[in-house]
Amino acid sequence: MDLRLTPDELAFRDELREWLSKNVPGDWPQRKYDPLETRFDYLREWQRQLFDAGWAGIAWPREYGGRGASTMLQVIFWEEMARAGAPPLANVLGLGIIGPTIIAFGTDDQRQRFLRKILSAEEIWCQGFSEPEAGSDLAALRSEAKLDGSDWVVNGHKVWNSYGWAADWCELVVRTDSAAPKHKGLTVLLVDMKGPGVEVRPLKQITGETEFCELFFRDVRVPVVNTVGKVNDGWNVALGTLMHERGTFGAGLQVTYRQNLERLIALAHSTERNGKPAAQDPVIRQKLAQTFAEVEIMRLNQMRAFSRINQTGVPGPEGSIQKIFWSELNQRMQQLAQELLGPYGQLEGPDGFAVDQGAWSYGYLRARGNTIEAGTSEIQRNIIGHFVLGLPRSY
Ligand SMILES: Cc1cc2nc3c(=O)[nH]c(=O)nc-3n(C[C@H](O)[C@H](O)[C@H](O)COP(=O)(O)OP(=O)(O)OC[C@H]3O[C@@H](n4cnc5c(N)ncnc54)[C@H](O)[C@@H]3O)c2cc1C
């Protein structure tokens, strides 16, 4: 792909750069350590501000509130956000994976109904895929939906649903034909999380936060018009969502990683090793240089993924390479921070001893989940082996 920017792309970049220079909230460096719920409200407001100014959903169709621009402009958007030190956006799953699924597989009515409110963060989304007995083997899921007039009646139990506590809507995968082979009898529904019969139970993570939840559905009525794609073809729709989660989701993460790298470099200057700033230690310098190169590789891989979507309209299985890369890179960065900090790295909270208000302790613990969420590293390697390299199935 040609990495040089065209005059139109340069004009877009300059306009965005100027807008960000005036609008990125100055208190974000302090507010990013707020408790989850408060931080979430802050990010929701920030997303709303971007939407109002026309910067949300750069590559989404204009008629649904997007900018109708190329995926290259979407990449430039994330790069400029990183450059400006801007906060990430609140509706992570809606923007990154569920909106794109509705664009690709939904009806016009569904696009009209849902997309604009995803962009404005007026409605927050969660993803209801995993179950206690169906994680890596998602097609083994048992939550079911039965037709009753013009509604589906849903019963089941989902788990590990990020932002379930904040969600207004859920992309839910259910079994609609129990007699069919397990990949064939699934359907994807858009479920109102505030409707009767939906129960959300927050789950505490190793970080102490309750970012994800368990969801219980008891005789929940979902209008048939909220079916995405064809009935019993939910496996293909769910795969579409997962390919976005693995292939293009990292575009937003790039912002956080670039900022974390800068914090890491600052940390190496402010901590000591053998009586000198750690930044002068040759081993630490090598590790920082390696991290710099890897963050850049992540950015370029992201461009490649977007470039493929530009050509084909959908992300491919090679998105699993991205998923492994960003998840393991974050763990390496967090590990390096712990090496620099020594025992201080374990301190939490905004007291005088916790470095960066405990953000490194939090980051290290949160990174453990990176190689599990969106499919574990083992599963990504199986996908790469089979679908990208053409090797025989491992199971
Ligand atoms: C932070 C976080 C956020 C999440 N958010 C969501 C969400 O929003 N929505 C949602 O639906 N889910 C979410 N998940 C769930 C996630 O998708 C699952 O945890 C993941 O798919 C693994 O499933 P499992 O936990 O059931 O583990 P299992 O599938 O039971 O796997 C256990 C171990 O066995 C290995 N394994 C399993 N099968 C194979 C195989 N065939 N070959 C080799 N190794 C194998 C796995 O790699 C893993 O190490 C989240 C998880 C985390 C940690």
Side-chain angles (χ1 to χ4, degrees), residues 122-174:
E122 195 176 333
E123 290 177 342
I124 301 297
W125 283 74
C126 71
Q127 177 193 16
F129 283 29
S130 307
E131 296 186 3
E133 303 297 329
S136 301
D137 185 11
L138 179 62
L141 64 87
R142 290 194 291 206
S143 292
E144 57 168 20
K146 291 196 183 330
L147 261 187
D148 181 24
S150 57
D151 288 343
W152 293 104
V153 178
V154 177
N155 279 286
H157 174 192
K158 298 283 174 179
V159 72
W160 320 125
N161 311 100
S162 305
Y163 302 100
W165 51 272
D168 301 290
W169 287 88
C170 176
E171 181 192 350
L172 191 73
V173 194
V174 287

Side-chain angles (χ1 to χ4, degrees), residues 179-194:
K182 67 178 184 178
H183 291 83
K184 303 272 182 201
L186 304 175
T187 301
V188 169
L189 305 178
L190 306 177
V191 180
D192 181 353
M193 292 289 286
K194 307 295 180 201

Side-chain angles (χ1 to χ4, degrees), residues 93 97 125-138 158-164 171 173 205 211-213 215 242 245-246 366 368-380 382 394-395:
L93 297 174
I97 61 173
W125 283 74
C126 71
Q127 177 193 16
F129 283 29
S130 307
E131 296 186 3
E133 303 297 329
S136 301
D137 185 11
L138 179 62
K158 298 283 174 179
V159 72
W160 320 125
N161 311 100
S162 305
Y163 302 100
E171 181 192 350
V173 194
Q205 282 162 256
E211 185 186 310
F212 54 35
C213 303
L215 310 178
L242 289 171
E245 192 170 17
R246 291 158 185 172
R366 179 60 185 82
R368 306 320 299 165
N370 291 162
T371 45
I372 303 172
E373 60 198 322
T376 66
S377 289
E378 289 78 10
I379 295 302
Q380 308 303 337
N382 283 345
S394 63
Y395 52 94

Side-chain angles (χ1 to χ4, degrees), residues 57-69:
I58 306 293
W60 287 25
R62 237 175 226 285
E63 63 264 43
Y64 308 123
R67 213 175 162 107

Side-chain angles (χ1 to χ4, degrees), residues 268 271-291 336 339-340:
T271 45
E272 285 205 346
R273 215 168 227 224
N274 303 322
K276 288 192 201 153
Q280 291 177 21
D281 182 296
V283 175
I284 297 293
R285 292 172 75 83
Q286 286 288 332
K287 287 188 181 178
L288 286 172
Q290 177 72 22
T291 308
L336 178 53
E339 275 175 47
L340 288 167

